[in-house]
Every structure is written in structure tokens, then in C-alpha cells.
Amino acid sequence: MYSQISAPEQRLSKDAVKVWILSEMITNLIVLIIIGVLFYLDYRFSWKEWVGWILIGVTAIYVPAAVWSFISPFLLYKSWRYDVNEEFIQLKSGVLNERHELVPMTKIQSVATKQGPLLRKYGLCSVSIETMGSSHSIPALSKGVAIQLRNQIAQFAKLKEVEQ
């Protein structure tokens, strides 16, 4: 009765890795500045001894997380796939926990492209898909592909709505 659904094969833009690394660098820089300021304030105002130990613990936990944040974009790019047909949007992602989603065209309420400053710098957009109960996103597609995909999804969703 049901046809076999093949795994999605469309990939994100290769510039996605650059955007994700740049985003992680900005986040890491902000966190390191905050930790540095807290260490300085601890030294300057001689806070209780346990405050210093907590700051050391937070730093010890943060350093491996910061290193991982520079490795994960490469793995995430390798694992991210999507496909669109008249019945479904397929999304597959995840490095440690693989996630494979099928979004029926009949459930889609809206589709939009989004572009923040980092994505704009590299000429990329993300496509966001809204259903009644959830929200889905395809990150870091080239602007032309994102607009074409948005229009294609909107057309498929409208056709399915009219058929019912």
C-alpha cells in the first residue's frame, strides 16, 4: 500500500560550515570575555574562596565544549540532508543522535526564508516550515536554492490543500 521512501540526498551549501564556525567563534568569544571578567572581579574584590573554585570548574567544563564547537559543524554538515516531493519534506540530521523527519505537505501552514547577518555575508538563507504543531528548518542553503525551495514547497502545499 505504501511506497518505499528513499533517504534524502540534497545537501546544504558548503558555506554552512563557515557560518556555523563563525557563529561558534562569536559565542565562544563572548563566553570567554564573561568568564575573564568574573575571574578579574573575583581577584579584585576577593570574593569567597568557593566562587573561585566554581569559576575554575565552569572553565574546565567549557574548554572541551568550545573545542567540540569547532569540530561539530563539519560533522553536522556531513549528516544534514533534505528532500522535497509532492507528498513530503524529508529532513535528516544529527551527529550523535540521528533524526529523520517526514513532514506531510497537507500539514504545512506556512513556509519562509530567513537570513541573518552571518548568512547574508555568505549569500545563504534558511527555509523555515511551519505546521500546526511544530516548526522545521533547513539551514544554510544558497539564496537562489532557498527561494526556489520555498516556492516549490508553497506550491506543493497549496496543491494538496486544494485536493482535499
Side-chain angles (χ1 to χ4, degrees):
M1 180 159 275
Y2 290 101
S3 62
Q4 182 69 19
I5 297 173
S6 60
E9 296 186 12
Q10 299 293 322
R11 299 187 79 146
L12 303 178
S13 169
K14 289 184 179 185
D15 286 334
V17 174
K18 294 176 189 172
V19 169
W20 291 335
I21 287 176
L22 193 56
S23 174
E24 292 294 341
M25 285 175 56
I26 292 168
T27 302
N28 288 336
L29 182 63
I30 291 169
V31 170
L32 288 174
I33 288 171
I34 291 170
I35 289 174
V37 166
L38 289 173
F39 269 114
Y40 171 75
L41 292 173
D42 179 45
Y43 170 77
R44 176 79 169 86
F45 296 111
S46 300
W47 289 342
K48 303 233 183 239
E49 187 177 342
W50 59 268
V51 173
W53 285 108
I54 289 176
L55 288 173
I56 290 169
V58 166
T59 304
I61 291 170
Y62 182 72
V63 169
V67 170
W68 173 252
S69 74
F70 289 105
I71 297 169
S72 65
F74 295 99
L75 298 173
L76 192 57
Y77 173 76
K78 282 186 166 194
S79 70
W80 236 109
R81 299 282 186 281
Y82 71 94
D83 259 335
V84 175
N85 62 35
E86 290 183 14
E87 293 187 41
F88 296 104
I89 297 172
Q90 292 185 69
L91 306 173
K92 180 183 163 287
S93 63
V95 177
L96 299 175
N97 295 320
E98 190 174 285
R99 182 181 181 131
H100 194 145
E101 298 177 277
L102 290 172
V103 181
M105 286 294 174
T106 56
K107 302 295 180 190
I108 294 175
Q109 292 186 322
S110 71
V111 61
T113 53
K114 294 181 181 178
Q115 188 181 48
L118 290 179
L119 290 174
R120 190 174 305 116
K121 178 180 178 3
Y122 290 95
L124 303 176
C125 287
S126 65
V127 176
S128 72
I129 301 135
E130 305 291 330
T131 63
M132 180 77 89
S134 62
S135 175
H136 308 277
S137 180
I138 303 173
L141 297 172
S142 66
K143 190 172 184 176
V145 170
I147 290 169
Q148 181 182 5
L149 186 64
R150 178 197 64 201
N151 294 342
Q152 184 181 23
I153 292 170
Q155 183 180 11
F156 286 158
K158 177 101 172 106
L159 289 175
K160 290 295 176 184
E161 183 181 294
V162 171
E163 287 175 9
Q164 290 184 348

